[in-house]
Amino acid sequence: KLPTMKMLLSLIALLSAALLADAAPPTCYSRVLSLSKEITESFKELQTSKAVDSCVEALPRLYLDIHNYCVLAKLRDFVAYPRCERVLEVSELKEKARSLYTIMISYCRRDLVFLTDDCSALENPILPPIEPS
């Protein structure tokens, strides 16, 4: 009975170690990438929600490309936009944008590489075509 218990504990320890090996800590780049995607998706959902307030329709467009240097100005403009304080979803989105900006300019400043500074690409993004299903 004791050897079986020892073997079971060894198996559990081995599986735990395998799981921990796959769970690498997020890098600055991966955190910035995931947060920018989360913000972009939240913005899209806000724009298409049933309870769209008139101020939401007037919000600056929020397409984020963390490889474009202009994204920093885009985030600053969005956070500083003076309207929509009373819309909870907009306040939450502004807080996420503020966090992304802070992460990019302080914590990840040396880890990020900007491939372009094309500000118009953030205003009129060329999105990949949707493949037919």
Side-chain angles (χ1 to χ4, degrees):
K1 194 173 184 180
L2 191 56
T4 306
M5 184 63 123
K6 236 181 181 180
M7 205 163 84
L8 182 61
L9 287 174
S10 295
L11 182 61
I12 290 172
L14 182 64
L15 289 173
S16 298
L19 286 174
L20 288 175
D22 278 346
T27 62
C28 251
Y29 178 76
S30 66
R31 178 67 184 130
V32 166
L33 190 60
S34 67
L35 188 54
S36 69
K37 286 180 181 179
E38 181 182 330
I39 290 169
T40 300
E41 287 304 312
S42 294
F43 182 74
K44 285 180 190 174
E45 289 171 13
L46 183 64
Q47 293 288 90
T48 59
S49 74
K50 301 278 186 232
V52 174
D53 192 287
S54 61
C55 74
V56 172
E57 292 173 352
L59 281 170
R61 284 192 58 163
L62 195 57
Y63 168 73
L64 303 178
D65 175 1
I66 61 164
H67 301 107
N68 186 333
Y69 185 74
C70 293
V71 75
L72 296 173
K74 174 66 91 175
L75 288 167
R76 274 194 314 267
D77 291 348
F78 186 80
V79 169
Y81 189 72
R83 296 177 58 196
C84 294
E85 289 88 16
R86 67 184 187 281
V87 180
L88 178 64
E89 293 86 355
V90 174
S91 296
E92 290 171 351
L93 196 55
K94 283 184 175 186
E95 195 53 44
K96 284 181 185 178
R98 183 178 291 113
S99 294
L100 178 59
Y101 180 81
T102 302
I103 290 168
M104 289 181 76
I105 64 164
S106 41
Y107 303 112
C108 299
R109 183 168 45 95
R110 292 188 179 112
D111 297 342
L112 298 177
V113 174
F114 296 107
L115 304 175
T116 183
D117 62 351
D118 182 4
C119 296
S120 66
L122 295 178
E123 294 303 319
N124 302 302
I126 299 171
L127 302 174
I130 299 171
E131 294 186 20
S133 48

